[in-house]
Amino acid sequence: DNMTREDEVKFQVSDPDLIEQRAKDLGCVLESETEQVDRYFDYPSFVLSRHLHGLRIREFHGAPQSCDFKVLFYFPERPNDPWYVDENVSDFPVSRECLVSIFKRLGISNRSIGEELDPIELEKVLLGEKLVEAFRITKTRRKYACPEGMQILFDYVKELGSFVELEGSHCQAYLSSLGLPEDGRLKRWGYTSLLLESKGIFNQGNFKPQFERSHMWNVLPDEVTLYNAIKGGIVDPSQRRSQPHLQTF
């Protein structure tokens, strides 16, 4: 479990203002404040979410920025690090090539896509393929730069509450200074999973045994070639912007 590493820990908190003041007392300085909305598109049955696929339009401060498609894969051949998040990110305008590659993985054949799509055009295409805006992750983030190269992120997520994330090589020392309980750290789940679980759509605890029983249970029929390419090392992970942990999923 990568969340046992000392360079990244996250907590859900009920008193973020108190912890933020403690961070300031430690010499942390507010670096940025961002407002982010992730609009997730799925079929009404939530088949993509249930198979650990995410298709989203990301907005910063009310302005659409990118179209992201990400999938969680599992490779038992790497027992020490079997999780693999394959992520495809395209800033607007989204190219036809990018959207066609995503649609191919979903088994969609659409020959009427323009060369470049702005957010309105992209949403029109998605809705035309029977996808709907299934849910949103609305987040305000305050990022602090701290001594010893540490970073502290204060997130407020609509429908979920407040979270504190520590990043750096001195997390353990900061836990006691901030008053965060050692046994209160969240497991390796991102806000998408937490929100879907809260809505009763998704159960975090269900899919790990599924992967152990059948490691390709969530691979869509048109993704088998890609899955095997990644497994064989043909696809360069650094070029696919993949991450070896689940915190963002």
Side-chain angles (χ1 to χ4, degrees):
D1 187 334
N2 280 292
M3 287 306 291
T4 60
R5 299 178 308 168
E6 288 308 308
D7 58 359
E8 185 178 318
V9 290
K10 180 181 282 190
F11 297 80
Q12 185 163 14
V13 297
S14 57
D15 51 358
D17 294 343
L18 175 61
I19 298 170
E20 190 167 352
Q21 184 56 54
R22 289 173 179 165
K24 293 176 182 177
D25 294 343
L26 291 172
C28 300
V29 177
L30 181 63
E31 197 172 68
S32 63
E33 183 168 358
T34 57
E35 296 176 4
Q36 178 182 303
V37 178
D38 288 338
R39 302 171 58 212
Y40 281 84
F41 289 80
D42 204 336
Y43 296 101
S45 62
F46 287 92
V47 65
L48 296 183
S49 300
R50 293 180 190 278
H51 285 77
L52 310 181
H53 289 56
L55 174 59
R56 72 187 178 198
I57 293 176
R58 170 162 284 183
E59 301 177 356
F60 276 107
H61 299 285
Q65 182 188 33
S66 64
C67 173
D68 305 352
F69 182 70
K70 59 181 179 177
V71 183
L72 175 65
F73 288 136
Y74 182 86
F75 294 100
E77 296 84 1
R78 306 191 309 178
N80 295 327
D81 186 17
W83 307 106
Y84 186 98
V85 179
D86 180 64
E87 189 164 14
N88 189 327
V89 181
S90 177
D91 291 340
F92 284 109
V94 175
S95 70
R96 180 181 188 278
E97 180 183 10
C98 174
L99 191 56
V100 166
S101 70
I102 293 173
F103 276 3
K104 183 178 179 182
R105 295 170 67 167
L106 301 181
I108 295 172
S109 177
N110 188 322
R111 301 181 184 279
S112 60
I113 301 173
E115 287 303 313
E116 290 188 336
L117 292 87
D118 64 25
I120 294 175
E121 293 167 334
L122 174 60
E123 185 168 353
K124 184 177 179 180
V125 171
L126 296 178
L127 296 177
E129 295 296 341
K130 311 303 181 186
L131 291 152
V132 298
E133 184 181 324
F135 59 94
R136 293 186 178 201
I137 303 289
T138 302
K139 176 176 72 181
T140 300
R141 165 168 288 182
R142 294 166 64 82
K143 179 179 178 181
Y144 280 81
C146 303
E148 301 175 302
M150 289 288 295
Q151 286 188 343
I152 302 179
L153 311 175
F154 291 88
D155 289 349
Y156 174 74
V157 185
K158 188 176 180 180
E159 299 184 72
L160 288 179
S162 297
F163 299 81
V164 177
E165 183 172 342
L166 282 66
E167 297 180 355
S169 57
H170 298 276
C171 289
Q172 197 63 40
Y174 271 73
L175 292 183
S176 56
S177 299
L178 295 173
L180 295 169
E182 174 66 30
D183 60 357
R185 38 172 103 185
L186 286 175
K187 295 180 181 179
R188 53 182 182 186
W189 308 108
Y191 298 130
T192 304
S193 300
L194 291 172
L195 182 66
L196 291 178
E197 185 184 53
S198 74
K199 292 177 177 291
I201 296 165
F202 182 98
N203 189 326
Q204 294 180 358
N206 279 350
F207 66 74
K208 185 173 182 181
Q210 283 184 267
F211 276 124
E212 291 171 345
R213 289 192 300 268
S214 175
H215 58 271
M216 292 180 66
W217 70 267
N218 73 317
V219 178
L220 301 179
D222 291 288
E223 289 181 321
V224 173
T225 300
L226 172 64
Y227 177 90
N228 288 328
I230 295 173
K231 182 172 70 173
I234 297 171
V235 177
D236 181 356
S238 66
Q239 295 300 311
R240 298 197 64 82
R241 298 181 60 168
S242 298
Q243 303 172 36
H245 60 86
L246 304 186
Q247 183 58 35
T248 58
F249 205 88

